[in-house]
Amino acid sequence: IACPCALGLATPMSIMVGTGRGATAGVLVRKAEALEVLGKVDTVVFDKTGTLTEGKPALVSLRFVPPYSDHEVVRYAASLEQGSEHPLATAIVAAAKGRAIALGEVRQFQASMGQGASGMVDGCTVAVGTAGFLRDVIGVPGQMLTVLDEAAESLRQAGQTVIFVAVDGKMAGMIGVADPIKPSSQDAVRQLKAAGLRLVMVTGDHQRTAEAVAAHLGIDEVKAGVLPERKGEIVASLKASGLVVAMAGDGINDAPALALADVGIAMGTGADVAVESAGITLVKGDLQALVRARHLSTATMRNIRQNLFFAFAYNLLGVPIAAGVLYPWFGLLLSPMIASTAMTFSSVSVISNALRLRHVTL
């Protein structure tokens, strides 16, 4: 019988799958079982930022509430966020630097994951985040937030993430940040839907913003306003309903969900902890690689089944002959030379068939 590696059974090591355009265009399979299960997946959960989008948001809209100016809104927000590594914070700080705005010193900085941050900037209490964060945590009166409701809704419908800015408990303005959708995302989503997969997008963004992005991509199911810790709960809930779930994400807060999913899929351009938690890494963060990986999974499992047939077929024919089943009628026994030849052909057949995976059209 041929050895397991000849059968095409993946050994526990990393496998780089190329696509004819170099290894960097491929897929890194870190866990052998992930490649096996990927072909059985019927539900894919996507994190939005950095997975479906570039993960490089930029400030594109700005509204201010007198007596504050647009310059002051950006300055206060950027000053507060200058120590944060969150993509939205990075976009605000970059906008301030692009406008040559000098940032102030921050003290008593506090952050609420997925909601916002607050602190002291030049003696003023500054808060940046969602409307709920400013209202419930900071204590900004609800009627002050309604001043910007109509403008905020307009930005959300355009697919922008809205960030409110308050100074000393009063509304100063809001910032609209947009994260470009990856060029490959729309076509990858289309192909996955055509394959019959259920696609779910999860994001911490407002419902309107999330729906606008999902509509552009063609994703029908959206879970918005999701705090980082709830991503894992969503994955666990889908699995509990009997679905085979793959989770695609790139950030630190995606790591628990990636580990919980039947198949964790990390973007190679994302955080190291996400890559370590996933069984499959899309090297360049290109979702087309996910389509290729799923195709490869199906082809690999089909190839393994074929190899099992080849490996056992020779034995099923040879063992009875070697046991003398044909001897009473034909005087035929299986000599060591013939057995060795059959074993050689068995291995050659299995290996040759396995090597056909190099030519799988991805």
Side-chain angles (χ1 to χ4, degrees):
I1 300 174
C3 66
C5 57
L7 294 177
L9 300 173
T11 52
M13 64 175 67
S14 296
I15 305 169
M16 181 68 76
V17 181
T19 62
R21 291 173 293 167
T24 55
V27 181
L28 178 65
V29 181
R30 300 185 63 254
K31 299 176 183 178
E33 62 270 22
L35 186 62
E36 177 183 354
V37 177
L38 185 59
K40 305 174 184 176
V41 164
D42 52 29
T43 304
V44 182
V45 179
F46 294 102
D47 175 58
K48 181 179 79 70
T49 304
T51 303
L52 294 169
T53 64
E54 295 283 359
K56 299 176 181 178
L59 191 154
V60 294
S61 301
L62 186 61
R63 303 288 188 274
F64 61 90
V65 178
Y68 298 100
S69 64
D70 56 352
H71 180 280
E72 289 175 309
V73 170
V74 174
R75 180 177 181 275
Y76 278 124
S79 296
L80 181 65
E81 298 280 27
Q82 60 185 309
S84 174
E85 295 182 356
H86 193 283
L88 298 181
T90 302
I92 295 172
V93 174
K97 291 180 178 179
R99 301 179 182 208
I101 297 176
L103 305 184
E105 183 181 355
V106 183
R107 295 181 180 179
Q108 301 176 23
F109 179 84
Q110 292 182 322
S112 179
M113 187 174 292
Q115 298 186 68
S118 62
M120 299 292 295
V121 178
D122 296 341
C124 297
T125 301
V126 179
V128 174
T130 65
F133 174 75
L134 266 60
R135 181 183 61 247
D136 301 332
V137 180
I138 306 302
V140 176
Q143 60 268 29
M144 287 189 177
L145 290 167
T146 58
V147 173
L148 295 171
D149 272 354
E150 185 176 344
E153 190 66 15
S154 175
L155 298 185
R156 288 170 182 144
Q157 290 178 355
Q160 297 179 32
T161 299
V162 176
I163 302 168
F164 293 93
V165 182
V167 179
D168 290 331
K170 298 180 180 179
M171 286 302 302
M174 68 178 185
I175 294 170
V177 176
D179 189 5
I181 295 173
K182 291 180 180 178
S184 63
S185 293
Q186 193 167 18
D187 191 44
V189 166
R190 179 187 59 78
Q191 292 182 62
L192 292 171
K193 285 184 68 176
L197 272 66
R198 174 183 178 183
L199 307 182
V200 183
M201 186 181 82
V202 296
T203 176
D205 283 343
H206 189 277
Q207 186 72 31
R208 291 287 188 187
T209 301
E211 288 175 352
V213 174
H216 180 79
L217 289 169
I219 296 177
D220 301 320
E221 192 169 347
V222 178
K223 296 186 183 297
V226 177
L227 296 178
E229 59 269 20
R230 281 205 60 234
K231 293 178 182 179
E233 295 175 8
I234 291 171
V235 170
S237 176
L238 290 169
K239 287 180 63 179
S241 65
L243 300 172
V244 183
V245 182
M247 169 71 190
D250 78 317
I252 294 174
N253 56 26
D254 296 325
L258 291 172
L260 279 171
D262 293 297
V263 181
I265 303 167
M267 303 297 111
T269 52
D272 289 343
V273 67
V275 173
E276 289 296 323
S277 300
I280 293 177
T281 300
L282 309 184
V283 178
K284 297 184 70 174
D286 182 352
L287 284 179
Q288 282 291 346
L290 173 55
V291 178
R292 295 193 291 269
R294 189 170 181 275
H295 188 176
L296 179 65
S297 173
T298 303
T300 298
M301 296 311 298
R302 181 172 60 247
N303 192 278
I304 288 174
R305 287 189 290 269
Q306 293 167 350
N307 286 348
L308 285 170
F309 170 78
F310 285 128
F312 288 107
Y314 289 96
N315 292 279
L316 289 174
L317 292 173
V319 169
I321 298 174
V325 172
L326 300 180
Y327 185 77
W329 295 277
F330 303 102
L332 183 63
L333 288 174
L334 191 64
S335 70
M337 183 180 299
I338 297 175
S340 175
T341 302
M343 194 64 202
T344 300
F345 275 111
S346 172
S347 296
V348 169
S349 299
V350 166
I351 294 171
S352 299
N353 188 54
L355 289 174
R356 291 192 309 112
L357 285 173
R358 294 183 303 173
H359 308 293
V360 172
T361 302
L362 299 176

